[in-house]
Amino acid sequence: MSLSLEARITRLEDIETIKGMVVAYARGADRKNDPEILAPLYTKDAVWEAEGFGRHEGIAGISKAMVDVARETILWSLHYMVSPEIKILEDGASADCFWYLWELAKIPDAGGKPEDNVIGGWYETTLIKTAEGWRFNHVKLCIKLISPVHKEWQTLP
């Protein structure tokens, strides 16, 4: 069955909205996992998980865990969210979204000194369209690379 023009436009608008959420997610992560930016992106019963970082449930649980990560583990970051693939499911009220992650980060070394690292992997997420709009219901970060760089980055003033 072919979708109506209105349904096709709605799907395209939904895809663009979800792309914006991926950008907002990166922006919040790069601002020390700012809960004011990140919390509104999740459903109340959302799950966030990543090997090495645990599984966290609900907005409060996810927010606390992410703030702790920014304070203790990833002291500074710059997220590149690459090639998002968004599939609006047939019900029009749920979606799957995949994107690659390339991240520059400062992570404490064994002595606690911040060290330049690169992080690579991808995100596998599911979203639900709520009365407030699209929200992440499940976020799974699959990290495949965390590696120190051997020369410090040259930063601009």
Side-chain angles (χ1 to χ4, degrees), residues 6 14 68 108 128:
E6 182 178 346
D14 289 343
D68 290 347
I128 296 174

Side-chain angles (χ1 to χ4, degrees), residues 43-103:
T43 61
K44 291 177 184 171
D45 62 345
V47 172
W48 186 99
E49 62 181 315
E51 188 174 334
F53 292 91
R55 177 184 167 96
H56 309 283
E57 298 182 18
I59 294 172
I62 293 168
S63 294
K64 181 188 179 319
M66 295 298 96
V67 167
D68 290 347
V69 165
R71 183 176 47 250
E72 301 163 7
T73 309
I74 309 239
L75 308 175
W76 175 89
S77 65
L78 183 60
H79 285 70
Y80 292 89
M81 308 307 214
V82 182
S83 302
E85 177 185 45
I86 301 160
K87 296 179 183 175
I88 307 297
L89 302 183
E90 284 189 34
D91 64 8
S94 54
D96 294 327
C97 182
F98 170 96
W99 68 86
Y100 289 102
L101 168 68
W102 186 247
E103 179 179 348

Side-chain angles (χ1 to χ4, degrees), residues 24-25 30 68 120 133 144 157:
Y25 184 100
D30 290 340
D68 290 347
K144 297 299 174 186

